Amino acid sequence: LEQYVVKHELYSDALALYRYQTERYDEVMRLYAEFLSSRSKFKEAGIAYEYLSDYTSASEAYRAANLWREALSSATLVPLSASEIAELALALADGPVESKDFFAAASIHLDYLADVETAVRTWCKGYFFAEALRVVGLRGRRNLLETVDAGLTEGSAAVTELLADCKSQLGAQVPRLRELRLKKAEDPLAFLDGTTPTASGADIPDNISLAPTDTSTSGGTFMTRYTSRSSGSGTLSTTATRKTSKNRRREERKRARGKKAPVGAEVAWLVEGLMRRKMRERAAAVEAAMRKVVGMCHGCLDEVFQVGERKMEREDGDGPAGGVPEEEEGARPSGGDGVFWDAMEEGRRRREAPVVKAFEGLALLE
C-alpha cells in the first residue's frame, strides 16, 4: 500500500485513512515529508519532520527554507551541543544579512552567539537604534554607545545622500515628463515612431521613405529616442560598466525592498536616535531634507498623475466612468494602426495617484 501511495502521490488520502492508527500514520507522514523535501517544499517538510519528533531532519529542512527561528529551535531539541548550535547560528545569520533583515540577524547574534557588539552594530545597520540602545543598557555595555554613535553617523550620511538623490531626480524627471507629454500632444505619430517633421513643412518626394528600418541606428530605440544622450557618448554596455557607488547602493535598496521598513519610518527612527545621542544638527538636517522631498512629491503629484485632467474627464463623461466615446467604439484595428490604438488607449488608462503620507518630525526640532 505504501508503494502505491508513493507512486500515485496519495499522501493526504493515506493520512486521512490512517488517522486513528498512529504507527501507520507516522510512516505515511515520513514518506510525505521526504516527498515534500524532494519538491523543495522545505517549510512543510520541516513541520512534518517536527511532528514526528525528528528534530535533526526538521532543522535541516527549516534551514533549507531560510527559517532561522524554526531551524534553531529544532536544533536545540535534538539536542545539539553548544558549539554545534553556535556554528549553525553563525551560518544562519548570513541569510538575513544578505536579505537586509537586520533585526533577525542581530537577534541571532545576541541570543545564540552572545555577541552583543555585533548585534548592536547590526541593529544600527537596519536603523533599529532604539533596540540597540535598549540592549546596551540591559547588558550594561556602556562602551558600545560609541558603536551606536558610529551607526547613527553612517545612517545620517546614507539617508542624506538618498534624499539628495530623490530631490535631484524629481527636479530632472518632472520637467522632462512635461516636455515629452507636450511632444506627444503636438504630434502623436511622430512621438511613437520617432520621425521628425521638416522645419518648413515641405512635401517629401514620394520615392523617399522616412520610415525607420531595422538597420537604422542613429535614431535610437523608442526608450532612448527622447533622451538628451547623443549617439557618440558610448554604448549601453560601456555605460553600464561605469556604475558609481551611488548606483550600486540604489540597486542594493531595490533588492532589500520588502524586508526593510518604509523610508519614512527609517528616517523617523534615525532622527529620534540622533536626538537621543545629542546630535541635534544632524537630526535637523535629515528632517529638513525629508520634509523637502515629501513637499516636492506633494507638489508634483497632480501633474505627474494628471489628477486635474481625470476629474475633468469624469465630469464630461469621457473618462472611465463615462464610458468610451462613440467615435472610438469598435474593434481594435490591425497592423500599424493597431499599435497606435494601443498606445493611445494606454495613455487614457492613467494610474491612480498614490497617497504620499506627511512626515511627522520631532516637535523638539520645530
Side-chain angles (χ1 to χ4, degrees):
L1 180 60
E2 291 179 358
Q3 293 179 352
Y4 186 83
V5 169
V6 172
K7 180 179 180 180
H8 298 282
E9 301 179 5
L10 299 174
Y11 302 101
S12 298
D13 296 324
L15 289 173
L17 179 65
Y18 293 130
R19 62 184 180 276
Y20 299 120
Q21 302 178 39
T22 304
E23 185 176 348
R24 300 299 298 273
Y25 187 91
D26 289 351
E27 291 175 0
V28 175
M29 181 66 78
R30 182 169 295 279
L31 293 173
Y32 200 6
E34 294 171 355
F35 169 77
L36 291 170
S37 293
S38 67
R39 296 299 177 89
S40 299
K41 296 182 178 180
F42 297 112
K43 177 181 178 179
E44 294 187 51
I47 294 173
Y49 282 125
E50 193 167 2
Y51 178 90
L52 298 169
S53 298
D54 185 353
Y55 297 113
T56 300
S57 299
S59 180
E60 293 173 355
Y62 286 136
R63 181 178 179 180
N66 295 318
L67 299 172
W68 66 271
R69 291 180 178 86
E70 292 83 351
L72 287 168
S73 66
S74 296
T76 57
L77 293 172
V78 170
L80 296 180
S81 64
S83 60
E84 290 174 320
I85 291 290
E87 183 179 354
L88 175 61
L90 189 61
L92 288 170
D94 293 336
V97 170
E98 286 293 325
S99 61
K100 309 300 181 184
D101 189 357
F102 294 112
F103 197 96
S107 299
I108 294 173
H109 282 288
L110 180 67
D111 297 337
Y112 292 93
L113 299 172
D115 189 347
V116 181
E117 183 175 358
T118 301
V120 168
R121 187 182 301 111
T122 305
W123 270 315
C124 290
K125 288 182 180 179
Y127 295 84
F128 299 106
F129 301 106
E131 186 66 14
L133 289 170
R134 184 190 71 83
V135 172
V136 167
L138 179 65
R139 300 301 177 96
R141 299 288 299 274
R142 291 181 61 88
N143 61 304
L144 293 180
L145 288 174
E146 296 181 359
T147 302
V148 177
D149 291 346
L152 286 165
T153 302
E154 182 179 347
S156 64
V159 168
T160 300
E161 182 180 350
L162 170 64
L163 295 176
D165 186 34
C166 290
K167 288 192 291 184
S168 175
Q169 289 294 322
L170 285 170
Q173 298 301 331
V174 173
R176 188 58 180 154
L177 178 62
R178 189 183 305 128
E179 180 183 349
L180 291 176
R181 282 176 175 166
L182 181 60
K183 288 179 179 289
K184 184 177 180 180
E186 291 175 347
D187 195 341
L189 284 175
F191 179 84
L192 291 172
D193 63 20
T195 57
T196 304
T198 58
S200 61
D203 293 336
I204 304 298
D206 293 338
N207 61 345
I208 297 178
S209 174
L210 296 179
T213 66
D214 293 338
T215 58
S216 301
T217 57
S218 60
T221 66
F222 177 75
M223 297 300 294
T224 61
R225 184 177 300 129
Y226 295 103
T227 63
S228 58
R229 175 179 169 173
S230 64
S231 59
S233 60
T235 64
L236 288 175
S237 59
T238 56
T239 303
T241 61
R242 301 173 189 155
K243 281 190 175 181
T244 62
S245 59
K246 182 187 298 184
N247 291 333
R248 286 194 295 271
R249 282 193 291 272
R250 187 182 298 126
E251 292 299 321
E252 290 178 359
R253 288 194 294 269
K254 288 181 180 179
R255 288 194 296 269
R257 191 173 298 159
K259 289 292 185 182
K260 297 177 66 178
V263 174
E266 288 187 351
V267 173
W269 299 340
L270 174 62
V271 171
E272 293 167 3
L274 289 168
M275 282 296 292
R276 291 177 65 182
R277 294 301 302 150
K278 301 181 180 180
M279 302 182 189
R280 188 186 185 285
E281 296 302 322
R282 288 181 180 271
V286 170
E287 183 171 299
M290 184 64 181
R291 290 186 184 278
K292 178 66 175 178
V293 170
V294 172
M296 292 177 68
C297 290
H298 277 293
C300 70
L301 200 63
D302 289 353
E303 179 181 0
V304 170
F305 291 91
Q306 299 176 308
V307 175
E309 294 184 18
R310 187 182 295 112
K311 289 181 179 179
M312 293 177 61
E313 289 175 355
R314 288 172 180 167
E315 292 174 359
D316 295 339
D318 292 335
V324 180
E326 183 177 353
E327 65 272 16
E328 294 181 3
E329 292 181 352
R332 174 187 179 277
S334 59
D337 291 337
V339 176
F340 179 64
W341 171 285
D342 292 340
M344 298 304 292
E345 286 298 307
E346 182 64 27
R348 294 188 183 93
R349 290 192 294 269
R350 302 187 183 98
R351 292 180 296 174
E352 292 295 328
V355 177
V356 179
K357 296 182 179 179
F359 178 72
E360 297 181 3
L362 286 178
L364 294 170
L365 294 173
E366 293 179 354

